[in-house]
Structures are given as C-alpha cells and as structure tokens.
Amino acid sequence: MPLVRKFDPTTPDGQLIANLARRLLALGTAWPADETATILSDWFLKTLGIDPEGPVYQVDAVPPRLISPDATTEDVTELLLSAGPALHNPHRPDHADEFTVTTDTECCGGDCVTVHLHTASASRARFALAWLRQAGYDATEHNTWTVGEHLLHVRQGVIRDTPTHAPAETHAAQHLWFQGFTSPTIDVYVHAEVTGPTPPVPVAWRPGWLSIDIAAPQDATAKQRKKTATAIADAFRTANWQVDRRGHEALHIHPPLTPQT
C-alpha cells in the first residue's frame, strides 16, 4: 500500500523536512546509529534552534516562568549576598558568620547545595527561601538539631507559570511557595522537612474562600504558630487577597477580583 505524503515540500517548513529526509534516506535502508544521530542533532540545532543536549522545555509552547542558574556554591552564595538587609545584618557588610554554602553529600547525596543560616530568625530563613525560589531555585528547609540554625537545600529549578484559569487553591499554593512558606519535597532518612501551612483547600460552606491551617514542628510554641499565621495573612493581603483570621492558627482567604500574575 503506497504511503500518502503528509507534508507539503513546496512550503518553507516542508522544504526543511525534505532536506532532512534527503540526508537520512541517503544513508540507505539501515541507518547507522552514529551518522543518524549526527544528522538529526545538526538539523535540530541549525534548522530548529533546539539544543539536542538541552532541556525538554525548549520545545514547550509556553516557556518557563523562571529558570535558575546552576545550583553551585558560587551561584547560590552570590545570590544570597545580594539579598540586602532583609536577610543580612547591615552592620556586618562582609556578612561574616551569617551563612555558609556547601555541597554536603550527607544531606542529599551531593545532589544539592546546602545553606546553613547560623543565627537567622524564622522570618529571615523564610525570606532566604523566598529569595532563592523567586530566582527559580527549588529550595526547601529541613529540621536541624541545633537551636537557632536553619538548614536549606537548594537545587537547580525550572518553574512553570500557573495558568490564569487554574483553581484559586493552585494560585494560593504558588503564592505560598514564592513567599517561602512551604517545602513540598522530603529527603527521607536524612532530615525531616520543616512543616509549613496546610495546602489551601476550598471551604465547603463559604463559596470562593480557601482555608489554611498553620502546621508547625511539634516543638513550635503557640506564639510561633500565631506569628506564622500573621505572616501568611500579611503575604496574602499584600497581594490583594481578602483574609479572614479564624483563630490564632487558621485563616480563610479569597482571591482578588483580578487574578495576580
């Protein structure tokens, strides 16, 4: 049964396909693997502008929202040093002893960069997470056994845009993520993940509203949980969400009339 050609070689795109076909068909019926790979790689690179050794998102219809630099000690250190007074003591311009950035095989098998914030408050540690995530990194916080110390794991990341028509709980979860409140991955058997707020869920009896409860490590005090709830409420109010406090450790939120980008 004869094949029906499914492209038009008289169009510009069809001519590109025809040129590729000529190069491949010239190899004969048994295409040598090395020569075939060379032809295809060259065609992808020079004709389509796609790096054959590059990431998959090159061919996505919608490009990623954020692509982080490599997760190296140098890149992460440079980014943290640029954070300003929200993270650093302005009286210590060299930021000595504030943090260290290492590659620790005991934390995540060398697959991430480890940031030790030696004396940062919970709010400063949260800012550091937000700062890293807003640069595209996949950053999470893990429990440590040293009082006052915060441990962050930082990996290279690709962050997608949330579609405007996505559910409100998806937009709320993304906002929490960018503000440093959640850590969605866990390195089992290494360090326990620091618990954050529960995922935003619809309130059954209150159409359009979402509920968030403040989860926290078992040793967190009621005062600490209340401060976290206040910080979350402030983060949503700043983004023009409506916020209704439901006690010290829970709140309801409603998205703004105009979705935030």
Side-chain angles (χ1 to χ4, degrees):
M1 180 178 178
L3 294 176
V4 177
R5 188 167 63 192
K6 297 183 179 180
F7 74 98
D8 184 355
T10 65
T11 65
D13 288 345
Q15 291 174 17
L16 297 176
I17 295 171
N19 290 337
L20 173 64
R22 289 191 187 94
R23 295 179 64 185
L24 291 173
L25 292 173
L27 298 176
T29 55
W31 293 355
D34 289 344
E35 292 183 51
T36 302
T38 298
I39 291 173
L40 285 173
S41 295
D42 182 70
W43 191 76
F44 265 68
L45 187 63
K46 296 180 179 178
T47 303
L48 302 181
I50 297 173
D51 181 359
E53 298 180 357
V56 174
Y57 63 72
Q58 293 179 95
V59 299
D60 290 350
V62 179
R65 173 175 177 171
L66 290 170
I67 304 170
S68 73
D70 292 338
T72 65
T73 56
E74 293 80 8
D75 288 340
V76 172
T77 298
E78 182 178 356
L79 181 64
L80 290 175
L81 287 174
S82 68
L87 180 61
H88 303 300
N89 182 345
H91 302 294
R92 296 293 300 274
D94 58 350
H95 308 308
D97 301 325
E98 288 189 347
F99 68 92
T100 55
V101 182
T102 60
T103 301
D104 190 344
T105 56
E106 293 184 2
C107 280
C108 41
D111 188 36
C112 70
V113 166
T114 302
V115 178
H116 291 267
L117 300 171
H118 303 298
T119 57
S121 63
S123 61
R124 284 188 176 237
R126 189 164 58 241
F127 176 84
L129 273 180
W131 188 257
L132 290 162
R133 289 171 178 174
Q134 290 170 21
Y137 285 108
D138 178 7
T140 56
E141 182 178 2
H142 296 260
N143 276 325
T144 67
W145 294 274
T146 303
V147 177
E149 180 184 19
H150 294 268
L151 176 68
L152 313 182
H153 288 172
V154 185
R155 295 178 174 85
Q156 185 177 18
V158 177
I159 297 177
R160 309 284 178 171
D161 256 326
T162 299
T164 302
H165 60 271
E169 53 265 36
T170 301
H171 286 284
Q174 184 191 56
H175 187 66
L176 285 171
W177 165 257
F178 277 123
Q179 297 304 312
F181 285 103
T182 57
S183 298
T185 60
I186 300 175
D187 289 342
V188 185
Y189 310 123
V190 183
H191 293 288
E193 179 188 4
V194 172
T195 312
T198 60
V201 295
V203 181
W205 55 270
R206 199 174 187 184
W209 288 79
L210 304 173
S211 176
I212 299 176
D213 293 322
I214 308 308
Q218 291 183 353
D219 58 351
T221 65
K223 182 178 180 180
Q224 289 171 323
R225 292 193 293 271
K226 182 179 178 180
K227 287 180 66 176
T228 300
T230 299
I232 291 174
D234 290 344
F236 277 105
R237 288 194 182 103
T238 301
N240 295 321
W241 288 60
Q242 298 180 61
V243 178
D244 181 13
R245 293 293 293 266
R246 309 292 294 184
H248 294 318
E249 300 175 18
L251 61 155
H252 287 178
I253 60 174
H254 189 283
L257 296 178
T258 301
Q260 302 299 292
T261 56

